[in-house]
Amino acid sequence: MVPDLPSVREDGGGGGGGIDHTRKVLHDGILNGNTNCNGAPPKTEANVQSDFSTTKLTSYAPSVENGALYRTKHTFWPPLKAVPLASYYKLHRVPSLDSLTATVMAEQQNDVQAIELPLSDASHVEEPQDKSPPRNAVHNKILENVIRTPGRQPSPQPTHLSVPGPSQHRVLPEQGSGYVAPTFDGKDQQMDQVMDQIEEKGFIPPEFVESETNWFYNELGIDDMYFQTETVPAIVNHILSLYAGKVAAFARGDGRLEIRLDKEAADHAVYIDTSKPGVSVIDGPRYEQRIDEKYINGSVGDSSYRVESFRSGSHLPGEKDQQLRCYFVYKCQFAHPNPSLEETNLDIIGDKRFLQKATQNTRDIYQEVMTHAVDRTGPVIEMFEMEGSREKRLVIAYRQGSAMGLFSALSDLYHYYGATSSRKYIEQFSNGITIMSIYLRPLAQTPASMKHPPIEASIHQIMKEVSLLYCIPQNKFQGHFASGRLSLQETIYAHCVWVFVGHFLNRLGSEYTSLASILDPNNSAHVEMLSKIKRRLRTETFTSDYILEIINKYPDLVRALYLVFANTHYVQTRGEQDDFLPTLSYLRLKVDPVLDDSQLKDRISKSVVNEHDEMVMTAFRVFNSAVLKTNFYTPTKVALSFRLKPSFLPEVEYPQPLYGMFLVISSEFRGFHLRFRDIARGGIRIVKSRNKEAYSINARSLFDENYNLANTQQRKNKDIPEGGSKGVILLDVHHQDKVRVAFEKYIDSIMDLLLKPVSPGIKDPIVDLHGQEEILFMGPDENTADLVNWATEHARKRGASWWKSFFTGKSPKLGGIPHDAYGMTTLSVREYVVGIYRKLNLDETMVRKLQTGGPDGDLGSNEILLGREKYTAIVDGAGVLVDPQGLDRTELLRLAKQRAMISKYDASKLSTDGYRVLVDETNVSLPNGEVVDNGMVFRNTFHLRGGQPFDTFVPCGGRPESIDLSTVHKLIVDGKSTIPYIVEGANLFITQDAKLRLEKAGCILYKDASANKGGVTSSSLEVLASLSFDDAGFVENMCIRADGTAPAFYDAYVKEVQETIKRNAALEFEAIWREHQQTGIPRSTLSDTLSIAITKLDEELQKTELWNNLILRTSVLEDALPKLLLEKIGLELIVQRVPGNYLRSIFGSYLASRFVYEHGSSPSQFAFFEFMSKRMARLNQQPGSQNLTSHINGAGA
């Protein structure tokens, strides 16, 4: 506390001359708390004990004995049990103003400060006699059969949460902050220099210089580290700024002392602000957000910053509820800046200042937390009791950069629950871990604070919600949360629906519907045209900002809609006596009415002001009804995931119905996972955006792109049991460098919805309205190829029984079969290329070939290695390589084996007509005299240049839609295609309408969905092997050994996979060639109709009773399953281990593909019976086959 009377320095030096009476009154008023200018006596207040006092806290708490209420004096609060939920909520409802006033008056008269706490063991709360559930109780959500694991130890999850319970209380005997700053020996000398310079400035009267300096040095609790770091002029400026704030408050006459002080240097920063405990100031300087954005969010390696923050021990003069909050930021100095990421020794990874200042007790805590943090991708959350006080020490650790804005958001969280912090520390460690330590205490008892639960209860809610906050630290409705109008759950729920609305609000209008009804949905050209029109029609009517603006207008509607969501998905796992109290939002379910859908619809209609607002708020109802399960209420999570029922999608826009849809939301990304069947497989890709405009475009097209990719995969997967699926992750515009973070969060949050919980309080049960076990099969795609090993290992750590089959494309050491090493995709493409040569009797070595995607790529390099054509041009990322006489084959093979770009091609081996143009070259003269102005433009458009002598074009790389309807005319001269044969190896390289135009011009063209299916076949057989072996057998037979040698079974199985790919590609090639010859239908169209015919028949077969005929089932599985697996494991064991729905898919896909390849996409109604009769001819004499004919008849009908 600032002294009431100023003291005068004994030496009297410095200023010379006194001050007049008015100035004297001014300073007396400021220092004594009187900010009235009329000379009224100063207001007085009792001295407040310093927040940093190390003495025991003497408090009073209510206790009940024999039905009477007494106040009992305590010097230390022991761990307290939770109150039964109904009684707890009854105790902590907000009382009326009259009752608050009466309570406060009674407390003041008795001179006793009341502190509202949960009752101790000796306490007794009268339970209501009526045991019926409350009117709005979630009576069907209590899971009585959940058993606690011994000691409630955390399972191997990505997040570690110290679960509160009777055995979990950990009391720290240490007093103070847990930090001891090294003594600054020159402090007294520095203080004298500071006072001298202050007097020289002349702003502060001489008689107040010493008192102001003493107050700054000794009353604010600033440790010696600050004084040792700062210069004398900087300290002088800080003291003058604080004093100026006092003068300004007096001059305004409003009695509010406001201080805003900040200083930012290259290696440190200081921020000092007036602060009211427990209140988030939305319109202030927002220093914590500034610290987040400027120092914490970007902390990495040598550019890491640690933070120390504390609240002054005393109130400001004349301010009963105002204190100073100080923040000190220091650039880290690591003794070992580049340790292993798994290193946990604090002496190796710690900052020098931290190692100097931290007490042994603090080091022990951080060491334990660090050990947990390096094993997890999510946060570690621990809480410790502080001996002798009600203060709690909350410790949170997480990986650097994985929770942007968490520091400032945490303040809003504990303020919402009526807590304030006395001290906060952020420590960075050179292994990439951030640890925060926050000391929380309850607010002083006031009428306003009585609505909050006691800190002994709220600390557990805070801990639980840190995990939710970690997912989205700064949500779009943070202002409503900071002001207390909405809870954290309500604002993050609104944020998630905001994302949902942006993707699915129907804004195409009736015109699109009319057009779609005219066009043929089975015509792939029509479908592609509709897709383009859809992109154009989706104008900016409902931008994300406009949707945000609408939602912000209706917080009361958000609350009502959230209650419906919570009423469905919140699980109170351990009943009313749960020691892990539910959140305040859930408690509203006990009191506030939960509206049914018709009531919600009516309320929305009456609340909104126009049609647009109604559309947006109605989308909340759509979202609520679509969510089948979510990890929203799981105590530990790293991102929010929702399993949605896709039936809300308009059929006119999405004619092919989805089976499953996942929506994943985090601060770094948003993403979908879509699949067209229960058993489906597809890659996971990550989309980046160059700038904000590109991000907006990507966000608008995210779902449609995902849908189209999954649909393409569905057509491509015609030969395998898995249907089509795809996952797309869109990085937030501000997190383009968070590829790995986004992928890990995406995968883990989806796994939350696939795995059963194993540790109550860590992974609690969720409400599963889908009601069926789900398994997803994923693979690598753009920007994720190097992350699949992590996903496989993570699934194993989390105890997923299907970890071996979760991801394909993984390392051979984990049982993966790499497509590039064995040319899996290329083997399929080559079947179509050589098939054309075979049908037309062409000499492969004389065929002139153009290829995009060079020797550095997977598909391009293997195409060079397997092909024998006369390469005349190759285009890759480096540029263009051309030789009309044929490129040197030996040199091309060298580049392909080294995976090198054409920039490494030996130019001396080019003929006189040959040339090379690289993308960074300009003004290049070609042998024919043409000058290339820009190498990049030349590379991007080379495949469209006329007059080039090519017979075959095999795109093995390049951007989607490189040839479309606007450019395809460049490849057609006098109505004839300049390139006779095209096999589309690269996905979506040519648009469907351009393909049809080329075929009409005489080109023989096979599209990607047919040619590029070798990879999916390989991945499917990799999955099958993973499911068929047990863990030991899988490691023994399918995993490359540590010395790099492969098991004999692995080598043989890879060869069988290669033969299967070639066989399936040859079957489809022949079917398309034959049907085109018979009908004249373009091959690009036939590819799609064959795929649709196979998948449709497959689905129908799986629903018939043919599967129930054991003889037929056995026969089909013996033909469909790889011979090596049958010999090694046996059909009986395979049937036991592989999921039944997966085997049923094998059964259906094998029969359907063989039938369609043999009889075409439009067979006669008796063709299937004939097909099955041939199969059964050899089985009719076997026992149990007498009913087979009737089964076939039924299926054929």
Side-chain angles (χ1 to χ4, degrees):
M1 198 73 175
V2 177
D4 288 338
L5 294 175
S7 59
V8 181
R9 292 179 63 189
E10 293 179 0
D11 59 7
I19 58 173
D20 59 25
H21 175 71
T22 304
R23 200 171 181 188
K24 181 75 167 65
V25 171
L26 171 66
H27 289 88
D28 284 348
I30 293 172
L31 293 176
N32 288 299
N34 176 19
T35 56
N36 297 317
C37 298
N38 56 10
K43 298 176 182 178
T44 60
E45 60 175 304
N47 287 340
V48 180
Q49 184 180 10
S50 170
D51 285 356
F52 294 90
S53 170
T54 57
T55 60
K56 289 187 177 180
L57 175 67
T58 302
S59 306
Y60 293 87
S63 63
V64 178
E65 184 175 333
N66 298 326
L69 180 65
Y70 296 93
R71 299 193 181 280
T72 308
K73 184 175 181 180
H74 297 283
T75 56
F76 167 65
W77 292 111
L80 297 166
K81 283 193 173 180
V83 180
L85 185 61
S87 304
Y88 163 81
Y89 194 56
K90 180 179 178 182
L91 285 173
H92 297 289
R93 289 303 304 274
V94 180
S96 66
L97 183 59
D98 293 339
S99 62
L100 283 176
T101 305
T103 302
V104 174
M105 291 297 294
E107 297 296 345
Q108 291 177 347
Q109 290 173 4
N110 295 326
D111 196 28
V112 176
Q113 183 181 10
I115 300 177
E116 196 169 21
L117 287 174
L119 305 180
S120 63
D121 286 339
S123 305
H124 172 71
V125 176
E126 290 292 335
E127 293 291 344
Q129 296 300 315
D130 183 9
K131 297 296 183 180
S132 61
R135 178 166 58 94
N136 294 302
V138 192
H139 57 274
N140 61 331
K141 299 300 189 304
I142 298 179
L143 306 181
E144 301 291 354
N145 59 341
V146 176
I147 306 299
R148 299 176 191 273
T149 52
R152 298 190 64 174
Q153 295 299 315
S155 60
Q157 309 300 350
T159 303
H160 173 83
L161 180 65
S162 177
V163 182
S167 63
Q168 288 290 330
H169 289 285
R170 306 173 67 181
V171 180
L172 297 181
E174 181 178 60
Q175 299 289 340
S177 67
Y179 285 78
V180 177
T183 302
F184 177 31
D185 295 331
K187 186 175 181 180
D188 291 338
Q189 182 181 356
Q190 182 194 66
M191 187 174 175
D192 286 335
Q193 294 174 0
V194 167
M195 287 189 287
D196 288 341
Q197 289 197 19
I198 290 176
E199 286 185 348
E200 290 174 6
K201 299 285 185 182
F203 181 72
I204 301 179
E207 59 265 42
F208 295 113
V209 169
E210 186 170 357
S211 62
E212 290 298 311
T213 307
N214 275 324
W215 178 65
F216 185 81
Y217 267 79
N218 301 319
E219 298 293 332
L220 294 184
I222 302 175
D223 66 28
D224 282 8
M225 181 68 73
Y226 162 80
F227 296 107
Q228 191 167 3
T229 303
E230 287 292 356
T231 63
V232 170
I235 297 173
V236 169
N237 286 335
H238 293 168
I239 296 174
L240 291 176
S241 297
L242 294 176
Y243 185 80
K246 299 177 186 179
V247 175
F250 181 87
R252 285 196 308 269
D254 59 4
R256 302 299 299 175
L257 179 59
E258 293 185 0
I259 294 173
R260 304 284 188 267
L261 187 153
D262 59 83
K263 182 225 174 174
E264 296 174 347
D267 59 349
H268 70 282
V270 178
Y271 304 93
I272 300 177
D273 184 22
T274 46
S275 171
K276 182 178 179 180
V279 176
S280 294
V281 180
I282 300 175
D283 57 352
R286 301 178 70 82
Y287 286 141
E288 291 192 351
Q289 285 82 356
R290 190 162 165 181
I291 292 171
D292 263 332
E293 293 169 3
K294 189 162 186 176
Y295 299 104
I296 306 305
N297 292 349
S299 282
V300 60
D302 291 336
S303 297
S304 297
Y305 293 85
R306 61 184 300 271
V307 179
E308 298 182 15
S309 174
F310 59 86
R311 185 178 296 281
S312 62
S314 60
H315 293 285
L316 293 176
E319 301 286 348
K320 293 184 179 181
D321 57 357
Q322 287 273 83
Q323 295 173 312
L324 281 185
R325 166 66 75 179
C326 304
Y327 303 89
F328 301 97
V329 182
Y330 301 100
K331 190 171 185 179
C332 293
Q333 299 176 6
F334 298 117
H336 302 277
N338 298 302
S340 164
L341 295 179
E342 287 73 37
E343 180 60 62
T344 59
N345 188 330
L346 297 186
D347 290 322
I348 296 176
I349 60 180
D351 166 71
K352 293 179 180 178
R353 283 191 179 91
F354 166 76
L355 296 175
Q356 280 182 321
K357 298 179 67 173
T359 63
Q360 187 59 46
N361 198 28
T362 292
R363 289 170 66 108
D364 291 343
I365 292 172
Y366 280 31
Q367 187 65 69
E368 177 184 344
V369 170
M370 178 64 70
T371 302
H372 290 302
V374 296
D375 291 333
R376 288 167 172 79
T377 56
V380 174
I381 307 165
E382 293 276 9
M383 187 273 287
F384 302 88
E385 308 272 357
M386 300 300 291
E387 185 177 23
S389 76
R390 296 176 65 195
E391 196 167 57
K392 316 294 179 186
R393 186 174 185 179
L394 183 64
V395 181
I396 304 167
Y398 59 93
R399 295 190 181 275
Q400 287 178 338
S402 66
M404 303 295 209
L406 183 63
F407 175 57
S408 55
L410 280 170
S411 298
D412 295 334
L413 177 59
Y414 58 72
H415 287 167
Y416 183 82
Y417 284 106
T420 185
S421 63
S422 57
R423 302 177 300 283
K424 297 189 280 192
Y425 300 91
I426 302 178
E427 301 295 350
Q428 308 287 356
F429 296 89
S430 57
N431 64 346
I433 299 294
T434 299
I435 298 182
M436 293 185 185
S437 186
I438 304 174
Y439 292 76
L440 298 177
R441 58 179 53 180
L443 291 173
Q445 192 75 9
T446 64
S449 67
M450 291 179 66
K451 67 179 181 180
H452 298 295
I455 194 169
E456 287 74 14
S458 64
I459 185 63
H460 301 317
Q461 299 182 30
I462 292 169
M463 291 173 64
K464 191 173 183 180
E465 293 189 37
V466 167
S467 177
L468 185 61
L469 195 63
Y470 174 83
C471 298
I472 309 176
Q474 299 289 335
N475 70 75
K476 289 294 182 179
F477 305 92
Q478 192 78 14
H480 286 296
F481 175 47
S483 66
R485 187 163 190 181
L486 291 176
S487 70
L488 178 66
Q489 300 96 321
E490 289 160 345
T491 55
I492 291 186
Y493 161 78
H495 179 98
C496 293
V497 182
W498 168 74
V499 173
F500 175 86
V501 173
H503 289 292
F504 299 113
L505 192 63
N506 188 353
R507 51 194 184 274
L508 296 180
S510 58
E511 295 83 359
Y512 177 86
T513 304
S514 300
L515 179 62
S517 64
I518 297 173
L519 299 179
D520 181 6
N522 296 318
N523 187 313
S524 54
H526 289 187
V527 171
E528 185 166 328
M529 184 182 299
L530 269 179
S531 177
K532 291 182 178 180
I533 293 173
K534 183 194 300 183
R535 288 199 296 267
R536 288 182 176 271
L537 288 178
R538 282 188 165 166
T539 59
E540 296 293 321
T541 305
F542 285 90
T543 65
S544 60
D545 290 339
Y546 183 42
I547 295 170
L548 183 64
E549 178 186 334
I550 291 173
I551 299 174
N552 264 316
K553 293 192 294 188
Y554 303 105
D556 292 336
L557 280 182
V558 170
R559 184 179 297 110
L561 289 156
Y562 169 78
L563 284 178
V564 175
F565 174 81
N567 189 49
T568 302
H569 295 285
Y570 185 89
V571 178
Q572 190 183 348
T573 56
R574 291 171 285 279
E576 297 285 327
Q577 302 297 331
D578 189 2
D579 63 5
F580 203 173
L581 286 172
T583 60
L584 293 181
S585 293
Y586 170 73
L587 296 176
R588 287 179 178 153
L589 295 175
K590 296 288 184 177
V591 177
D592 296 342
V594 179
L595 306 179
D596 62 30
D597 193 61
S598 62
Q599 291 172 321
L600 268 179
K601 181 179 180 181
D602 183 61
R603 182 168 176 181
I604 290 171
S605 298
K606 292 178 179 178
S607 301
V608 298
V609 297
N610 57 50
E611 183 182 358
H612 280 184
D613 291 13
E614 185 170 9
M615 289 175 65
V616 170
M617 300 313 295
T618 298
F620 278 73
R621 292 173 45 226
V622 176
F623 176 80
N624 284 351
S625 63
V627 177
L628 297 176
K629 51 185 174 179
T630 177
N631 70 346
F632 193 92
Y633 294 106
T634 301
T636 59
K637 53 191 168 288
V638 294
L640 297 173
S641 56
F642 303 89
R643 168 61 160 91
L644 303 176
K645 180 170 57 177
S647 58
F648 69 89
L649 294 172
E651 184 178 356
V652 67
E653 293 188 52
Y654 307 101
Q656 183 75 11
L658 286 168
Y659 176 86
M661 176 193 305
F662 289 86
L663 168 62
V664 186
I665 301 172
S666 174
S667 59
E668 294 90 0
F669 70 93
R670 63 181 65 177
F672 289 99
H673 185 274
L674 309 179
R675 72 189 199 273
F676 282 93
R677 283 197 200 161
D678 181 17
I679 300 298
R681 199 197 68 79
I684 309 299
R685 68 169 51 181
I686 294 178
V687 177
K688 295 182 176 182
S689 308
R690 296 186 306 275
N691 48 46
K692 192 172 184 179
E693 181 183 0
Y695 174 79
S696 298
I697 295 172
N698 289 335
R700 285 199 302 272
S701 63
L702 173 63
F703 181 80
D704 283 357
E705 177 184 346
N706 199 157
Y707 179 89
N708 292 333
L709 287 169
N711 205 5
T712 300
Q713 195 75 30
Q714 171 82 349
R715 295 194 299 270
K716 192 184 294 185
N717 289 10
K718 61 179 78 70
D719 297 324
I720 62 176
E722 301 98 339
S725 73
K726 207 71 171 182
V728 179
I729 302 169
L730 175 64
L731 294 177
D732 184 81
V733 66
H734 301 298
H735 298 276
Q736 293 299 299
D737 59 337
K738 298 295 175 54
V739 170
R740 187 177 188 90
V741 169
F743 179 82
E744 291 180 355
K745 289 186 176 184
Y746 175 89
I747 294 298
D748 186 76
S749 60
I750 288 180
M751 289 177 65
D752 285 344
L753 304 185
L754 302 179
L755 296 173
K756 295 180 179 179
V758 293
S759 293
I762 300 296
K763 292 291 183 185
D764 280 345
I766 61 175
V767 176
D768 186 355
L769 301 180
H770 182 58
Q772 300 177 24
E773 183 179 3
E774 294 185 281
I775 303 177
L776 301 184
F777 303 103
M778 302 179 179
D781 206 311
E782 290 181 13
N783 298 311
T784 62
D786 58 340
L787 301 172
V788 296
N789 287 347
W790 175 89
T792 303
E793 294 285 11
H794 187 62
R796 175 158 58 177
K797 288 180 180 178
R798 287 200 59 175
S801 59
W802 31 261
W803 69 269
K804 305 185 298 294
S805 60
F806 186 38
F807 258 86
T808 56
K810 53 187 177 288
S811 165
K813 293 183 178 179
L814 293 171
I817 302 176
H819 298 172
D820 56 348
Y822 297 104
M824 298 304 190
T825 306
T826 310
L827 286 172
S828 178
V829 174
R830 289 301 302 172
E831 281 298 316
Y832 287 85
V833 175
V834 298
I836 294 173
Y837 300 159
R838 183 177 65 252
K839 291 291 185 181
L840 301 179
N841 295 317
L842 299 176
D843 182 354
E844 179 179 350
T845 60
M846 300 304 295
V847 174
R848 297 167 298 181
K849 184 175 181 180
L850 163 66
Q851 179 177 311
T852 58
D856 61 312
D858 166 11
L859 189 54
S861 62
N862 285 312
E863 179 69 17
I864 291 172
L865 292 173
L866 295 177
R868 297 186 300 123
E869 297 94 338
K870 180 181 178 181
Y871 274 92
T872 54
I874 294 179
V875 181
D876 71 359
V880 179
L881 181 67
V882 179
D883 194 333
Q885 306 305 318
L887 294 167
D888 185 271
R889 176 161 178 77
T890 302
E891 182 67 3
L892 287 179
L893 291 176
R894 180 185 70 83
L895 295 181
K897 291 175 182 178
Q898 295 179 359
R899 290 292 179 90
M901 287 187 170
I902 59 169
S903 56
K904 302 297 183 182
Y905 185 90
D906 185 355
S908 66
K909 297 189 177 183
L910 290 171
S911 70
T912 55
D913 297 327
Y915 59 87
R916 178 176 60 193
V917 179
L918 302 180
V919 292
D920 56 355
E921 292 180 335
T922 57
N923 299 320
V924 179
S925 296
L926 304 184
N928 64 359
E930 179 185 355
V931 177
V932 175
D933 297 325
N934 185 298
M936 178 72 73
V937 174
F938 186 75
R939 189 277 307 270
N940 292 344
T941 58
F942 181 83
H943 62 284
L944 299 171
R945 286 169 61 86
Q948 304 293 323
F950 304 126
D951 300 314
T952 297
F953 178 24
V954 182
C956 295
R959 296 301 303 162
E961 302 185 1
S962 291
I963 302 175
D964 60 15
L965 202 58
S966 65
T967 58
V968 69
H969 68 276
K970 297 181 179 180
L971 298 179
I972 300 174
V973 177
D974 297 330
K976 186 175 182 180
S977 173
T978 59
I979 304 177
Y981 323 119
I982 299 177
V983 177
E984 189 182 24
N987 284 322
L988 306 176
F989 188 84
I990 310 173
T991 62
Q992 182 69 9
D993 48 11
K995 291 187 183 84
L996 296 177
R997 184 68 63 86
L998 285 168
E999 288 204 63
K1000 186 177 180 180
C1003 179
I1004 296 176
L1005 192 152
Y1006 282 89
K1007 68 181 298 182
D1008 53 349
S1010 294
N1012 186 353
K1013 66 177 184 177
V1016 300
T1017 303
S1018 173
S1019 296
S1020 179
L1021 293 174
E1022 180 185 328
V1023 167
L1024 180 60
S1026 303
L1027 294 172
S1028 301
F1029 280 109
D1030 58 16
D1031 284 4
F1034 183 76
V1035 172
E1036 179 184 352
N1037 293 284
M1038 287 296 296
C1039 295
I1040 302 297
R1041 303 182 183 98
D1043 61 2
T1045 59
F1049 178 87
Y1050 182 92
D1051 287 336
Y1053 190 70
V1054 167
K1055 292 179 181 177
E1056 185 168 5
V1057 170
Q1058 292 174 324
E1059 291 304 315
T1060 302
I1061 289 171
K1062 292 161 67 175
R1063 182 167 60 249
N1064 288 344
L1067 285 172
E1068 184 174 359
F1069 173 85
E1070 294 292 344
I1072 293 175
W1073 187 278
R1074 181 179 62 249
E1075 192 157 348
H1076 172 74
Q1077 296 289 89
Q1078 294 171 353
T1079 66
I1081 298 173
R1083 294 177 177 85
S1084 300
T1085 301
L1086 287 174
S1087 175
D1088 292 336
T1089 55
L1090 279 175
S1091 298
I1092 293 170
I1094 292 173
T1095 54
K1096 185 177 180 181
L1097 179 59
D1098 178 7
E1099 291 167 359
E1100 291 175 353
L1101 286 174
Q1102 292 186 46
K1103 297 174 184 176
T1104 67
E1105 295 185 2
L1106 289 176
W1107 169 258
N1108 297 327
N1109 186 290
L1110 183 60
I1111 296 176
L1112 176 61
R1113 183 198 312 171
T1114 301
S1115 170
V1116 172
L1117 291 179
E1118 286 177 343
D1119 288 345
L1121 295 173
K1123 303 304 178 189
L1124 279 173
L1125 281 180
L1126 290 171
E1127 294 171 2
K1128 187 74 175 180
I1129 303 173
L1131 181 60
E1132 184 177 352
L1133 264 181
I1134 292 175
V1135 170
Q1136 290 178 14
R1137 291 171 177 170
V1138 178
N1141 52 356
Y1142 194 93
L1143 289 171
R1144 189 183 287 261
S1145 293
I1146 294 175
F1147 176 85
S1149 64
Y1150 183 82
L1151 283 179
S1153 62
R1154 268 45 186 179
F1155 169 72
V1156 172
Y1157 287 153
E1158 182 176 336
H1159 293 273
S1161 59
S1162 303
S1164 69
Q1165 57 182 336
F1166 301 107
F1168 186 74
F1169 178 80
E1170 179 186 352
F1171 171 78
M1172 291 300 296
S1173 296
K1174 291 179 181 178
R1175 168 169 284 279
M1176 303 321 303
R1178 67 179 185 272
L1179 299 175
N1180 281 334
Q1181 303 305 317
Q1182 296 184 14
S1185 63
Q1186 59 272 18
N1187 295 324
L1188 189 57
T1189 302
S1190 62
H1191 280 297
I1192 298 172
N1193 269 319

